[in-house]
Amino acid sequence: MRTAPTILHLDMDAFFASVEQASKPSLRGKAVVVGGLGPRGVVATASYEARVFGVHSAMPMGQARRLAPNAAYLVPRFELYRSISEQVMRLLRALSPLVEPLSLDEAFVDLEAGGTAWDAESARLAGAKLRADIRAVTGLTGSVGLAASKMLAKIASEEAKPDGMVLIDPGTERAMLGPKSVRILPGVGPATGDHLRRAGITTVEELAEAGEDELVRLLGKAHGHALYAMALARDERSVVAERETKSVSVEDTYDVDIHDRVRVGVEVGRLADRCVRRLRGSGLSGRTIVLKVRRYDFSTLTRSETLRGPTDDPAVVREAAARLLDSVDTTGGVRLLGVGVSGLADYTQEDLFAQAAGQRVEELAEEPGDEPAEEHRPGPVERRWPSGHDVRHAELGHGWVQGSGLGRVTVRFETPYSEPGRVRTFPVDDPQLSPADPLPLVEATPPVASASRRPGEDEVTAASAGAGAAEPSAGVEAASPDAAAPSAAGVAEPGSAGAAAP
């Protein structure tokens, strides 16, 4: 185990919600909840202001609305989150070739491998610079933990939240861990925590005092050995630059159970196409097609089929998913469907017969045929305006959807760089209103010409002039408990189409 605190763990603060607050001036300092807004939706991320009311990730959205009825509830914008995540990951890769992303907003970095840090002081400086660079590039904040191991670095970043940095000096690990709850250790969830509590073990110090043999007796050989090592602050895991992707999958949960078998088949085909797009976007193919069906009674069925070789052909994946669906009884209704591909490879070895069959199916689908049955004939499609998504009005400019319903859509007109904007309501089919791409969170600063600049002198942009002065972090700070958040009262409910202008 290394002796210098050169493993860095970065965790962006309330990432999805912070992105939404940064892009919407009217929501800054207010309670924001991002997630599925349907009756069966769950919270993806809650801002710190929303957490004061007890809202947290993975909570049912209905419960979140009861706890924080005046919060802003927004539909996720994953493409925007991915683009900002890539900006952050580029900053991490500038520190070291060994960067291990855990999710869009979290990663480990081996600073020593990049020659960026070799002792506590250089690690502290690297962490402070990273936090300043993240704020300068994205306008967001991230919490940093620095320690001699991955486990301790992650614990340190949790201690640093929000918007802080904690460094654990070598030699102090046992004293720091001792009084903390066993739940702070990786692999100790609610069930294991309750099991240990019934045995009289609630802190990490008590876990170490129990001894390895007792922990093996209580939890089994593998888990007992691992927990005892962690209680002694031992973690030999190294930072791995490339985490192998084992599968690619997509799934949808439906607000109302689907009973129509034709509709179920259509949804499975649509999910198969989405899965292939994600597969191709990663430059991958796969051999095993997986179908997931959660029925009306919450029972979950999984079916799989392995092909002769890896594929990224949408017709092949659709056909395989349809065959798998044939073996599933959906009579009582379906609440969730998913399609995935595993057995991944970075090449394809297509089953030509399957491809030919898929091509024929597509050709037949394009040929004119009988009119669809009356009950399945599509009607006019109403334009959808997801809450929180960007729009542009031909006269009023850029804004975002505050809510929609009853044939109307309410838009707040503001940008990440403006003051809080005014609210207007339009018919959902208003021809002057259209979806728009998100704007960058940090405005590109145009070149600033000095009045005293001589002809021919190079211009200096404000961004480059201030790059070295962006919010330096003064030393190491432990995270303080969340301060009481401003009241969420007055935040317009995104589900309400007729919100009044402030």
Side-chain angles (χ1 to χ4, degrees):
M1 183 172 173
R2 69 183 68 201
T3 58
T6 54
I7 299 294
L8 179 147
H9 181 260
L10 170 72
D11 196 350
M12 299 295 290
D13 298 322
F15 184 51
F16 296 172
S18 293
V19 170
E20 299 299 344
Q21 289 175 318
S23 68
K24 301 172 173 63
S26 57
L27 297 186
R28 292 171 190 168
K30 306 293 177 64
V32 174
V33 181
V34 179
L37 302 190
R40 294 172 179 167
V42 297
V43 175
T45 308
S47 69
Y48 285 98
E49 295 84 0
R51 295 180 192 187
V52 171
F53 297 98
V55 180
H56 58 76
S57 299
M59 172 182 284
M61 192 60 77
Q63 182 181 355
R65 287 184 182 274
R66 289 191 294 273
L67 291 172
N70 294 318
Y73 289 86
L74 307 177
V75 175
R77 297 187 290 168
F78 289 111
E79 288 303 316
L80 174 60
Y81 306 151
R82 288 189 188 98
S83 67
I84 296 170
S85 172
E86 185 52 39
Q87 291 179 302
V88 174
M89 295 302 165
R90 281 198 292 269
L91 292 174
L92 298 183
R93 294 185 190 107
L95 295 175
S96 172
L98 291 184
V99 176
E100 183 179 340
L102 304 179
S103 61
L104 290 177
D105 61 339
E106 187 179 2
F108 287 109
V109 184
D110 188 331
L111 299 176
E112 188 174 356
T116 307
W118 48 91
D119 60 11
E121 185 58 30
S122 57
R124 181 182 290 109
L125 292 174
K129 183 179 185 302
L130 173 64
R131 294 181 59 229
D133 288 345
I134 288 173
R135 184 183 286 274
V137 171
T138 69
L140 304 176
T141 63
S143 296
V144 167
L146 293 155
S149 70
K150 290 169 69 173
M151 178 190 77
L152 292 169
K154 183 171 174 59
I155 290 173
S157 71
E158 287 295 321
E159 293 287 305
K161 280 187 168 295
D163 190 21
M165 182 170 70
V166 167
L167 182 149
I168 300 176
D169 285 307
T172 66
E173 299 94 343
R174 292 283 302 275
M176 183 275 296
L177 284 177
K180 297 189 179 302
S181 166
V182 293
R183 291 289 304 277
I184 200 171
L185 298 178
V188 181
T192 302
D194 286 344
H195 191 51
L196 291 170
R197 179 180 53 78
R198 287 194 295 270
I201 300 172
T202 59
T203 67
V204 176
E205 184 177 16
E206 291 168 346
L207 198 66
E209 290 174 349
E212 190 168 14
D213 292 341
E214 176 64 9
L215 294 180
V216 167
R217 187 187 69 79
L218 287 170
L219 305 171
K221 187 173 182 181
H223 204 182
H225 284 311
L227 271 189
Y228 183 68
M230 287 189 285
L232 298 180
R234 296 174 187 164
D235 180 16
E236 301 297 333
R237 295 174 301 158
S238 58
V239 177
V240 181
E242 296 296 332
R243 293 170 61 86
E244 182 182 358
T245 302
K246 298 184 184 302
S247 65
V248 173
S249 63
V250 296
E251 61 182 43
D252 276 344
T253 300
Y254 303 99
D255 293 342
V256 178
D257 290 349
I258 303 175
H259 294 83
D260 184 349
R261 183 74 178 190
V262 174
R263 167 85 188 284
V264 172
V266 169
E267 290 295 319
V268 167
R270 184 178 60 82
L271 289 166
D273 289 342
R274 277 175 53 197
C275 184
V276 169
R277 286 197 297 271
R278 184 172 294 183
L279 195 69
R280 287 180 168 179
S282 301
L284 298 169
S285 60
R287 295 186 62 210
T288 301
I289 314 303
V290 181
L291 175 71
K292 178 180 177 182
V293 179
R294 181 165 297 149
R295 298 190 292 189
Y296 69 97
D297 58 356
F298 288 90
S299 62
T300 301
L301 304 177
T302 303
R303 299 287 185 268
S304 64
E305 177 182 319
T306 300
L307 308 174
R308 297 180 186 178
T311 184
D312 65 352
D313 187 299
V316 174
V317 177
R318 279 200 304 272
E319 286 183 0
R323 287 193 296 271
L324 294 170
L325 179 61
D326 288 341
S327 67
V328 178
D329 179 13
T330 62
T331 305
V334 170
R335 61 185 293 118
L336 177 147
L337 290 168
V339 174
V341 177
S342 60
L344 301 181
D346 56 3
Y347 65 93
T348 59
Q349 183 179 335
E350 296 293 353
D351 180 336
L352 298 180
F353 295 102
Q355 284 193 60
Q359 184 177 1
R360 178 61 183 155
V361 168
E362 291 184 331
E363 289 172 354
L364 288 173
E366 293 172 358
E367 293 175 1
D370 296 334
E371 287 293 315
E374 184 67 31
E375 60 271 25
H376 299 304
R377 184 176 297 156
V381 178
E382 184 179 90
R383 298 171 73 185
R384 294 183 66 252
W385 301 102
S387 296
H389 284 223
D390 294 81
V391 294
R392 176 166 290 279
H393 190 273
E395 295 180 1
L396 301 175
H398 193 93
W400 57 277
V401 176
Q402 190 161 298
S404 64
L406 302 177
R408 297 179 299 167
V409 55
T410 300
V411 177
R412 185 181 288 272
F413 290 96
E414 61 186 7
T415 73
Y417 339 115
S418 71
E419 295 296 318
R422 306 292 290 180
V423 173
R424 293 283 300 274
T425 298
F426 309 91
V428 293
D429 57 354
D430 191 316
Q432 291 191 298
L433 197 63
S434 60
D437 291 331
L439 298 175
L441 300 185
V442 176
E443 187 173 20
T445 308
V448 179
S450 170
S452 61
R453 182 173 59 85
R454 298 186 183 91
E457 282 185 344
D458 290 338
E459 292 181 340
V460 179
T461 66
S464 63
E471 198 217 14
S473 294
V476 181
E477 54 194 42
S480 59
D482 292 346
S487 170
V491 179
E493 169 60 49
S496 171

